[in-house]
Amino acid sequence: QVQLVESGGGLVQAGGSLRLSCAASGRTLYRYAMGWFRQAPGKEREFVAAISGRTDYTDSVKGRFTISRDMAKNTVYLQMNSLKPEDTAVYYCAARLNNWGPYDYWGQGTQVTVSS
């Protein structure tokens, strides 16, 4: 099975930065496309960013967030700058076999709270 473990969440002031990490099992990053999602209280899960041969971002985080990966470490990162209170959510790492398909595996999430 693909196992994903997020870390790096916490409490930060508006305008601050945080870097999330997603440690993946085995050779996951060589075989799967990776993504970050988030879910705020009372809202549906939202796509944030993805990486395979290229990167993709939801409009609300473009210019502020950067997704990257370290293949040797089997780790995906989400660098979050200029954080806003509306970024507050549980952030999840996910993996899928095909860029056009569903995300098949999910981590348990890490809480990000941005104070105003």
Side-chain angles (χ1 to χ4, degrees):
Q1 291 185 344
V2 173
Q3 295 182 340
L4 306 171
V5 180
E6 303 96 334
S7 62
L11 176 63
V12 64
Q13 292 183 325
S17 298
L18 210 57
R19 188 177 78 159
L20 305 183
S21 298
C22 173
S25 60
R27 294 175 56 84
T28 296
L29 270 62
Y30 289 92
R31 301 172 180 174
Y32 292 81
M34 307 298 297
W36 285 98
F37 291 76
R38 66 187 181 186
Q39 186 166 24
K43 293 187 176 181
E44 295 182 356
R45 186 177 60 193
E46 174 191 26
F47 168 79
V48 176
I51 187 168
S52 53
R54 57 173 292 170
T55 58
D56 190 27
Y57 302 91
T58 190
D59 287 343
S60 64
V61 308
K62 286 182 178 178
R64 299 190 298 120
F65 290 10
T66 302
I67 187 171
S68 62
R69 61 185 179 183
D70 186 328
M71 305 299 289
K73 294 183 178 180
N74 293 315
T75 301
V76 179
Y77 303 96
L78 184 67
Q79 178 66 46
M80 305 184 294
N81 299 325
S82 301
L83 283 162
K84 305 174 181 179
E86 50 263 45
D87 294 318
T88 295
V90 176
Y91 283 71
Y92 298 91
C93 180
R96 62 180 178 180
L97 282 171
N98 303 296
N99 288 332
W100 59 88
Y103 282 87
D104 305 295
Y105 301 97
W106 298 83
Q108 293 190 0
T110 185
Q111 176 70 48
V112 172
T113 302
V114 184
S115 61
S116 60

